[in-house]
Amino acid sequence: MLMWNFHRSVAGVHSKLDILQGTLDLMVLRTLATLGALHGYGIARRIEHVSGDHVILNQGTIYTSLVRLEQRGWIRSKWGVSENNRRARFYSITRTGEKQLVAETENWERLAAVMGRVLADEGQTR
Amino acid sequence: MRRALRTLAARAWALLHRDRLDREFDEELTTHLELLIDEGRRAGLSDEAARREALRKLGQPNSIRERHRDQRGSRALDVLTQDAGYALRMLRKSPAFTAIATLSLALGIGANTALFSLVDSLLLRSLPVRDPDRLVQLRYGAGPAGFKKISPFFSQTQFDYFREHNEAFSELVGFASLDRPLVTIDGATEADPHVDQISNNFFRDLGVTPIAGRAPETSDDAVAILSYRFWQDRFGGRAEVLGRTITIDRQPFVIIGVAPRRFFGVALESDAAIWIANRAPMAQQVIARIKPDVSATQAQAGVQVMLNQLAQEQGERADRVGQAELVPAGKGLSQLRSQYERPLLALTALVVVLLLITCTNIGNLFMVRHAARKRELAVRVALGAHRSRLVLQYLVESVILAAIGGTLGWVFARWGVAILLSMLPLPFVPSALIFNGDWRVVAFAVATSLLSALLFGLMPAWRAGEINLGMLRANEGGGAPRAKRLSGVLIACQVGLSVLLLVGAGLFVQTLRNLSSVDLGFNPDGLLQILMDTRAGGYRQGQVGGVYNQLLTRLTGIPGVHSVTAVRNPLMRGLMSRAHYDIPGVELAPDESWDAAQVSPSFFDTMGIALVSGRTFTDTDATRDQFPVIVSESFVKRYLPGKDPIGVRLGQQQRTEIIGVARDARLSGVRVPSGVFMYNLLEKEPDRINALEVRFSGDPAAVVPAIREEIRQVHPRLLLSVTTMRRHIDDSIAKERMVAATSTFFSVLGLLLASIGVFGVASYAVTRRTNELGIRLALGASRGSVILESLRGTLVMFLVGLAGGIVAAVAAVRMTSALISDLLFGLRATDAANVVAAVALLILVTVLACLLPARRATRIDPLAAIRCE
């Protein structure tokens, strides 16, 4: 899933946000897999909470992620009523989304390990 | 792939429902904001502070909305423009590929569109009138069996009688073409516009509404309607033209309307410029619309009854009444349709094959290029590109190619139709047939382009879907075996289709050659045929001879004219009479007869037909009780073999004597074999003379007008036409020439494409295996075996294609032989020599195409080859 923005990188538009987006997608999937149906606010709160407020995001960015995931059929949404009695969209993970979560988690761990090794190597030669 | 489609679909849907999605997202965002405000309040903030804190956490609502919208939809467009840009760059990077692909595609699509346009206007499209499907043309056959002539012309009396008495038709309209009318506008004479006289109800009852002015009413007299084209050309499309006067044959007509752009009259090949209604009687063609609840058979019976009744009322003999016939007229009347229907369909089949070759060829070139790009693609996959994106990439690339090819093809189609029409034996190009941007033609061109794109784009796209990281391995030069196989299959298809194309074209070319090289038995060069109608001139038996003598004196007096001869029936039009005589010592079947011509004494000199023995007719031969005849060589061979025919007397009373034997000649038409034939001397006072043959020298453009003028001076209505015999013969094989020329062009194109395909695959095979071939050479393999080895795969597929093509071609001609046999002359559809020639040509071209790659294979430097990886 991190590869998702390949085309942008080819076009030369590198940015930190891109990587963050990919990571954010993964966090959203994980959250939904753990907690079931949630609205945008709930997801954002949960991510902040679990990360111990290490991930501080503009909560609005979560929606881009949600649209993206929905377009791919990894999550689905339906309207419901929030705890303050307003109409809100509730998102939940799909079967393909769960599979994807497993695959991407592995990917992420591998990448993290590789990154760790590579960075450590850099540190020694310096 | 599925995911890409799904995303694409979701985005497309989102684009279409933009407003609703915007509103919904606003609601979602508001809820989120309020939940954040609630959170702040719970933490003890004031309303104002809680709101500020909430907005800080959420981010700028506007920019969130913007990004949400982007993600939802417009990104799809981004992706497509990106792909299109990339595709254009790729196409620019390989100009040879792009040029070959677009050009061949343009020719393929252009050829198909051109033929579709012709097929559409001649065979498919209905006249732009009300209820065209129920329109019929009335005709009747008159004369004894065997000499029956079908005529579409009815007298004014008949037409009026039909309109009054018929029960089967809801409307009946009549029209007649004026013969070379003199049209003047403001005193200036117009250059030969075609004028149709029409019945007053013509426009109204056909259901054609003028785009300016009005249609003639029953009460109108001396009114004119202009065709759209004439209105544009002559009056610049100005509306003030209505009410102006136009003079036709010295009679003034008031212009009351302009016909719609796409209405050219009921006859497709006559471009009426002006329609006039003046209630003058005319010999007219009749178009009728059958009532919805009446069958065609009932309607025909009805017309027969009316013909009989009218004949009875007028006291005509019952046996001279013709047989009524109804012909569908909804697609317009056409002399070309029956003749050109099959040729057009045959050519359509050929251009479809051509387009298939084109698509296979491009598919193949794509594949070869794909093989070269495989590493690049694998790198992209490694960097995270989705395979679906690669597939999409290829599809976008092929759609772009098809779009360029289709656009160019549209231009080619326009030219193609113009070229094809110029090959028709018509005095001018009919508007009804010229290439127009009709929506059906546009739809056809677009559909053909897209279908082609799909056809050649899916092959590499499918291969792109199989890209994997394994292809990054250093020594990956070999290519997947499946790719090789697919490429081979494509080559086989191309070769097979080429065989099909060549066999088809070969048949038509051979037909034209046979027709052009037919031994006519007379000299058609420097010969003019004048068609005339002594009856229309009002000459009865007893007067015709005198007219002929007058014409003879006048015409032989023209400089350049050497001799003139009269024939009762025109030559080369399948109009010979039949003769039957008892022959001594020969048992003839009761109905056995042969072709015969009644000619004047100068006939053999004028025509250049050699006499084998005996003598020709003289002016003194014509007596009341002796009938000299000259027979053909075939006549002698058939009926008097081994005898001296001169002096043999024929007929029951033996008053007919053979005085000479002439070489066989084809006088009925190029296609009618010469054979048993008899020449009778034209009587001194024949009932009619319908043709004169003139031997002349010099420029026909100088002689013909002089002839016209002389004949006009004898009687203004005598002359029908003057044509050179060569021109008439050429026109009579115009169809074959068109089919042969067109199919030759297409098959050369197909052959060229196939050879490019073979060349491409063969060179690729050599390049791909440079390394291996180098090693073989280094190990001592002979150059010859290396060549064979490097091209073996290509050759095997070539042979497979060849075999398949031969089988398909033989099957195709067998299946269609009933349909195409009357397009052929002098050979059968299943002609073996033709297939052999096609195969030989294909082998020759393929060998040439393989030559260059083969040479390269032998030039491989073993050391360089081994070092190169």
Side-chain angles (χ1 to χ4, degrees):
Chain A
M1 196 159 59
L2 288 170
M3 315 298 187
W4 184 84
N5 274 294
F6 164 71
H7 255 276
R8 275 215 177 153
S9 20
V10 160
V13 191
H14 275 286
S15 81
K16 284 174 187 158
L17 188 73
D18 285 347
I19 296 173
L20 188 65
Q21 261 183 359
T23 333
L24 184 61
D25 286 356
L26 188 50
M27 291 187 222
V28 170
L29 274 187
R30 181 69 260 166
T31 309
L32 289 177
T34 316
L35 293 186
L38 270 181
H39 46 57
Y41 169 79
I43 298 168
R45 276 301 306 251
R46 169 76 183 180
I47 290 175
E48 284 176 351
H49 180 75
V50 170
S51 70
D53 286 337
H54 274 299
V55 174
I56 297 167
L57 30 78
N58 271 346
Q59 292 189 3
T61 51
I62 207 121
Y63 289 101
T64 335
S65 196
L66 287 170
V67 173
R68 195 158 54 227
L69 292 172
E70 197 171 7
Q71 277 173 350
R72 296 190 178 170
W74 293 344
I75 62 172
R76 60 170 155 259
S77 69
K78 60 177 182 226
W79 287 95
V81 180
S82 70
E83 48 272 40
N84 64 346
N85 266 332
R86 293 194 64 114
R87 246 161 67 82
R89 211 194 265 274
F90 284 80
Y91 298 87
S92 53
I93 193 162
T94 63
R95 290 274 299 277
T96 30
E98 277 164 4
K99 274 188 230 150
Q100 195 63 28
L101 177 60
V102 174
E104 294 297 336
T105 308
E106 272 172 24
N107 234 343
W108 175 252
E109 279 163 0
R110 209 164 42 231
L111 184 70
V114 170
M115 286 297 284
R117 277 204 301 277
V118 171
L119 293 178
D121 187 41
E122 284 260 304
Q124 280 171 1
T125 50
R126 192 174 289 169
Chain B
M1 184 77 197
R2 246 179 63 211
R3 189 194 306 151
L5 281 180
R6 185 175 196 152
T7 311
L8 215 63
R11 283 173 173 165
W13 192 87
L15 268 178
L16 292 173
H17 297 82
R18 193 181 179 129
D19 286 352
R20 206 184 95 206
L21 290 174
D22 277 354
R23 269 199 316 278
E24 283 183 0
F25 184 60
D26 276 353
E27 198 174 347
E28 203 174 349
L29 218 51
T30 315
T31 305
H32 193 134
L33 194 62
E34 298 210 341
L35 285 166
L36 277 172
I37 294 173
D38 286 352
E39 186 189 322
R41 283 208 200 95
R42 276 200 304 277
L45 294 172
S46 71
D47 280 7
E48 185 53 29
R51 172 165 288 274
R52 244 184 293 120
E53 180 61 16
L55 274 174
R56 195 188 58 78
K57 277 192 163 174
L58 184 65
Q60 263 304 312
N62 273 337
S63 84
I64 296 170
R65 253 185 230 120
E66 205 55 47
R67 257 185 286 158
H68 189 255
R69 207 179 274 157
D70 271 0
Q71 182 60 41
R72 240 163 44 198
S74 53
R75 278 300 299 272
L77 285 179
D78 276 4
V79 166
L80 275 181
T81 31
Q82 236 176 41
D83 278 355
Y86 183 72
L88 282 175
R89 275 201 303 283
M90 286 312 292
L91 292 176
R92 249 205 319 268
K93 251 170 56 185
S94 38
F97 165 80
T98 310
I100 291 173
T102 46
L103 206 62
S104 60
L105 200 56
L107 284 167
I109 295 173
N112 275 276
T113 309
L115 272 160
F116 176 78
S117 165
L118 278 180
V119 167
D120 180 46
S121 46
L122 200 60
L123 307 177
L124 302 177
R125 198 190 304 154
S126 293
L127 289 175
V129 300
R130 181 171 8 104
D131 281 342
D133 294 343
R134 289 194 285 119
L135 286 186
V136 288
Q137 184 189 25
L138 271 51
R139 308 200 304 189
Y140 64 97
F147 288 90
K148 194 169 130 177
K149 270 190 189 165
I150 307 281
S151 170
F153 293 101
F154 292 88
S155 68
Q156 190 64 42
T157 324
Q158 284 173 314
F159 179 66
D160 292 341
Y161 190 87
F162 293 162
R163 284 194 72 182
E164 206 170 312
H165 292 86
N166 96 85
E167 280 158 7
F169 304 118
S170 50
E171 288 98 8
L172 276 145
V173 300
F175 70 96
S177 297
L178 262 53
D179 181 33
R180 291 170 178 268
L182 182 69
V183 179
T184 51
I185 298 168
D186 297 336
T189 307
E190 293 298 309
D192 264 355
H194 186 106
V195 180
D196 270 2
Q197 189 188 341
I198 51 172
S199 59
N200 279 27
N201 63 338
F202 186 85
F203 278 88
R204 203 188 53 224
D205 281 355
L206 278 180
V208 178
T209 316
I211 52 160
R214 60 177 182 89
E217 293 299 323
T218 325
S219 53
D220 279 321
D221 193 6
V223 293
I225 301 273
L226 303 183
S227 78
Y228 183 86
R229 195 161 144 197
F230 190 68
W231 179 51
Q232 289 291 332
D233 292 353
R234 185 58 186 72
F235 296 101
R238 281 191 298 276
E240 303 93 77
V241 76
L242 299 175
R244 285 181 64 173
T245 302
I246 188 167
T247 312
I248 295 165
D249 285 339
R250 298 197 177 74
Q251 197 195 341
F253 289 85
V254 179
I255 299 169
I256 59 164
V258 176
R261 187 178 194 151
R262 293 275 161 84
F263 183 73
F264 311 108
V266 182
L268 293 188
E269 289 103 24
S270 83
D271 259 350
I274 305 163
W275 289 272
I276 53 168
N278 63 348
R279 289 194 270 175
M282 55 178 172
Q284 57 205 305
Q285 305 195 50
V286 178
I287 302 289
R289 184 177 287 118
I290 302 179
K291 285 180 184 165
D293 50 343
V294 177
S295 76
T297 338
Q298 284 170 323
Q300 182 169 337
V303 175
Q304 189 67 60
V305 168
M306 291 190 291
L307 278 176
N308 293 344
Q309 279 173 355
L310 187 64
Q312 208 171 14
E313 278 177 32
Q314 298 189 325
E316 277 181 41
R317 274 170 40 202
D319 61 332
R320 297 195 64 173
V321 178
Q323 297 280 316
E325 253 185 39
L326 300 186
V327 222
K331 291 172 184 165
L333 309 177
S334 167
Q335 308 147 12
L336 294 178
R337 186 180 294 129
S338 60
Q339 267 197 60
Y340 281 83
E341 181 168 11
R342 283 182 182 175
L344 280 182
L345 294 180
L347 286 180
T348 305
L350 288 186
V351 295
V352 168
V353 174
L354 176 70
L355 188 61
L356 285 178
I357 295 182
T358 310
C359 290
T360 348
N361 193 42
I362 299 175
N364 211 346
L365 293 175
F366 252 133
M367 293 290 298
V368 170
R369 221 166 50 124
H370 169 70
R373 274 163 75 178
K374 228 179 300 180
R375 288 187 70 160
E376 171 215 326
L377 296 179
V379 168
R380 284 176 61 181
V381 171
L383 287 175
H386 266 291
R387 288 189 188 103
S388 58
R389 284 302 306 275
L390 301 186
V391 172
L392 190 68
Q393 178 66 57
Y394 269 115
L395 285 180
V396 168
E397 213 167 312
S398 43
V399 167
I400 287 179
L401 264 187
I404 301 174
T407 314
L408 206 57
W410 185 257
V411 179
F412 286 167
R414 183 174 286 276
W415 293 343
V417 170
I419 292 170
L420 286 172
L421 286 178
S422 72
M423 290 191 223
L424 296 178
L426 292 173
F428 59 91
V429 177
S431 306
L433 300 184
I434 57 176
F435 188 78
N436 56 39
D438 194 62
W439 67 268
R440 298 152 66 124
V441 181
V442 176
F444 178 87
V446 171
T448 312
S449 307
L450 285 181
L451 211 64
S452 313
L454 220 58
L455 209 59
F456 63 72
L458 274 182
M459 293 181 258
W462 175 50
R463 304 288 316 162
E466 291 175 355
I467 289 286
N468 60 55
L469 297 186
M471 290 172 190
L472 271 177
R473 281 196 310 266
N475 221 349
E476 224 286 323
R482 281 176 70 186
K484 264 195 284 182
R485 223 179 306 141
L486 186 60
S487 207
V489 169
L490 290 180
I491 280 294
C493 286
Q494 273 186 62
V495 171
L497 291 168
S498 299
V499 174
L500 214 57
L501 206 56
L502 284 173
V503 166
L507 288 175
F508 298 130
V509 169
Q510 195 59 45
T511 292
L512 181 65
R513 273 186 45 187
N514 292 347
L515 276 175
S516 318
S517 60
V518 152
D519 179 14
L520 293 168
F522 65 92
N523 178 10
D525 295 310
L527 192 64
L528 283 169
Q529 177 160 249
I530 299 168
L531 298 191
M532 56 182 206
D533 188 351
T534 46
R535 291 200 168 164
Y539 301 103
R540 298 286 164 216
Q541 194 149 20
Q543 299 170 308
V544 176
V547 174
Y548 170 56
N549 286 332
Q550 243 187 83
L551 288 171
L552 196 62
T553 323
R554 280 177 178 273
L555 295 187
T556 41
I558 296 172
V561 170
H562 301 308
S563 66
V564 178
T565 189
V567 251
R568 190 160 172 275
N569 292 332
L571 305 177
M572 307 305 279
R573 284 169 190 263
L575 293 173
M576 290 298 123
S577 349
R578 299 292 286 180
H580 168 93
Y581 288 90
D582 288 341
I583 304 170
V586 180
E587 196 73 31
L588 288 179
D591 58 344
E592 193 164 339
S593 63
W594 47 83
D595 276 346
Q598 290 81 52
V599 303
S600 64
S602 49
F603 181 80
F604 294 93
D605 273 359
T606 310
M607 294 297 291
I609 299 176
L611 283 190
V612 180
S613 64
R615 63 174 179 87
T616 178
F617 299 119
T618 61
D619 285 330
T620 53
D621 273 338
T623 58
R624 287 214 165 268
D625 38 75
Q626 288 296 315
F627 301 104
V629 295
I630 293 173
V631 295
S632 68
E633 278 182 294
S634 294
F635 185 97
V636 177
K637 254 183 232 143
R638 171 80 187 273
Y639 294 119
L640 302 164
K643 294 183 195 162
D644 179 13
I646 308 298
V648 171
R649 290 184 166 268
L650 309 172
Q652 283 178 336
Q653 289 154 14
Q654 308 247 309
R655 290 201 302 182
T656 306
E657 185 189 348
I658 298 178
I659 60 162
V661 177
R663 265 197 70 198
D664 283 345
R666 296 189 181 218
L667 296 176
S668 200
V670 179
R671 288 174 195 74
V672 187
S674 58
V676 177
F677 200 90
M678 179 181 274
Y679 301 91
N680 299 88
L681 181 57
L682 194 68
E683 303 156 47
K684 271 239 157 16
E685 283 301 342
D687 59 338
R688 57 188 167 88
I689 293 177
N690 281 352
L692 300 177
E693 311 297 324
V694 178
R695 171 72 51 191
F696 74 102
S697 58
D699 187 3
V703 180
V704 173
I707 291 178
R708 281 184 172 280
E709 189 47 39
E710 291 293 340
I711 300 177
R712 204 182 283 269
Q713 281 185 15
V714 173
H715 193 289
R717 290 188 61 187
L718 198 54
L719 180 68
L720 294 177
S721 71
V722 186
T723 1
T724 65
M725 190 56 89
R726 180 48 78 189
R727 172 70 192 273
H728 175 69
I729 290 172
D730 282 353
D731 277 1
S732 75
I733 58 173
K735 178 175 75 181
E736 283 79 4
R737 189 172 311 112
M738 178 179 110
V739 174
T742 318
S743 57
T744 304
F745 178 70
F746 292 151
S747 55
V748 166
L749 207 61
L751 198 59
L752 199 67
L753 291 178
S755 62
I756 290 174
V758 171
F759 173 77
V761 171
S763 342
Y764 177 60
V766 171
T767 315
R768 207 182 45 196
R769 300 173 61 185
T770 304
N771 201 3
E772 177 202 334
L773 294 175
I775 295 176
R776 277 167 189 261
L777 281 174
L779 290 178
S782 76
R783 303 256 156 188
S785 70
V786 165
I787 294 180
L788 214 62
E789 180 59 32
S790 62
L791 297 177
R792 204 182 55 200
T794 315
L795 290 180
V796 165
M797 287 331 283
F798 171 75
L799 290 177
V800 169
L802 204 58
I806 293 171
V807 171
V810 169
V813 287
R814 259 174 204 279
M815 278 192 298
T816 56
S817 75
L819 287 173
I820 59 174
S821 61
D822 51 336
L823 296 181
L824 303 181
F825 179 83
L827 81 165
R828 284 152 48 123
T830 48
D831 192 71
N834 179 45
V835 178
V836 172
V839 169
L841 185 59
L842 199 54
I843 290 178
L844 180 71
V845 170
T846 308
V847 167
L848 288 178
C850 284
L851 225 51
L852 207 64
R855 257 167 64 102
R856 214 154 33 123
T858 62
R859 296 272 166 92
I860 291 172
D861 173 4
L863 286 178
I866 297 168
R867 240 184 271 121
C868 87
E869 279 286 345

